[in-house]
Amino acid sequence: MRRNSRRIFNICYRFTGNRTEAEDLSQEVFLRVYRTVGSYRSAYGGFATWMTSVTRNLLIDHYRRTKRDRITDSLDDSMPVVENKASSARRPDEQALLGELSSQVQSALTKLSPELREAVVLRDLQQLDYSEIQTVLSVPEGTVKSRINRGRIELARILQQMGVRPS
């Protein structure tokens, strides 16, 4: 083993191109040699030649066994493109920040007067038109616009006091 380990490793490495795989295959070669040493016949050549034949046969077996894996590996080579594709969903850190911001906005909204809160919620959170808000609140459109404007200014002031900065 000491005399032939480097040579066997080099053969395995040249075949696989992978150091770890070559080390594993080298160990398998020596196990196979140990198990089949009784079949060695010096009449067919030297021991090193016989070991090389055992190595070659093991490598062929390995190649056949891993052929399907190599085909799959070639498919896996294209997978990182799909795996690295940006998700349309928010990242967990973004989701956490939005959740925190939502909680802070909700807290700030509770500090607004009821008429300003209604106007801001209906316009900015419910996305209603001015005319729809006018109908819901039963006030003139100018009053709706005024309440929304004052509510936004007040909301921004409260959020600033809470330490929330616009980004």
Side-chain angles (χ1 to χ4, degrees), residues 114-145:
E115 62 269 355
L116 297 181
R117 183 180 334 133
E118 283 176 326
V120 170
V121 167
L122 291 174
R123 178 68 183 152
D124 295 334
L125 300 178
Q126 298 298 317
Q127 305 292 313
L128 296 181
D129 293 331
Y130 292 119
S131 60
E132 293 172 313
I133 297 170
Q134 176 187 359
T135 305
V136 170
L137 298 180
S138 302
V139 295
E141 189 173 318
T143 304
V144 169
K145 291 178 180 180

Side-chain angles (χ1 to χ4, degrees), residues 61-98:
D61 290 346
H62 174 74
Y63 179 80
R64 288 179 182 149
R65 216 177 28 246
T66 61
K67 186 175 184 180
R68 185 179 39 189
D69 294 342
R70 282 191 310 280
I71 291 169
T72 305
D73 286 347
S74 68
L75 293 175
D76 290 341
D77 291 345
S78 64
M79 291 305 286
V81 174
V82 174
E83 291 173 7
N84 291 333
K85 183 178 178 187
S87 172
S88 59
R90 290 190 173 99
R91 294 187 329 244
D93 60 327
E94 292 173 332
Q95 193 67 32
L97 287 173
L98 285 174

Side-chain angles (χ1 to χ4, degrees), residues 7-63:
R7 188 172 56 79
I8 298 301
F9 172 81
N10 286 335
I11 294 169
C12 293
Y13 182 78
R14 297 290 177 215
F15 181 82
T16 63
N18 180 311
R19 183 176 179 81
T20 306
E21 198 171 359
E23 288 172 348
D24 291 345
L25 289 169
S26 297
Q27 287 179 357
E28 284 184 51
V29 167
F30 286 110
L31 286 172
R32 190 172 284 184
V33 165
Y34 178 76
R35 287 185 200 124
T36 60
V37 74
S39 68
Y40 166 68
R41 303 286 177 254
S42 59
Y44 297 117
F47 187 73
T49 306
W50 179 76
M51 275 189 75
T52 303
S53 295
V54 170
T55 304
R56 180 184 173 277
N57 290 338
L58 182 97
L59 290 171
I60 290 170
D61 290 346
H62 174 74
Y63 179 80

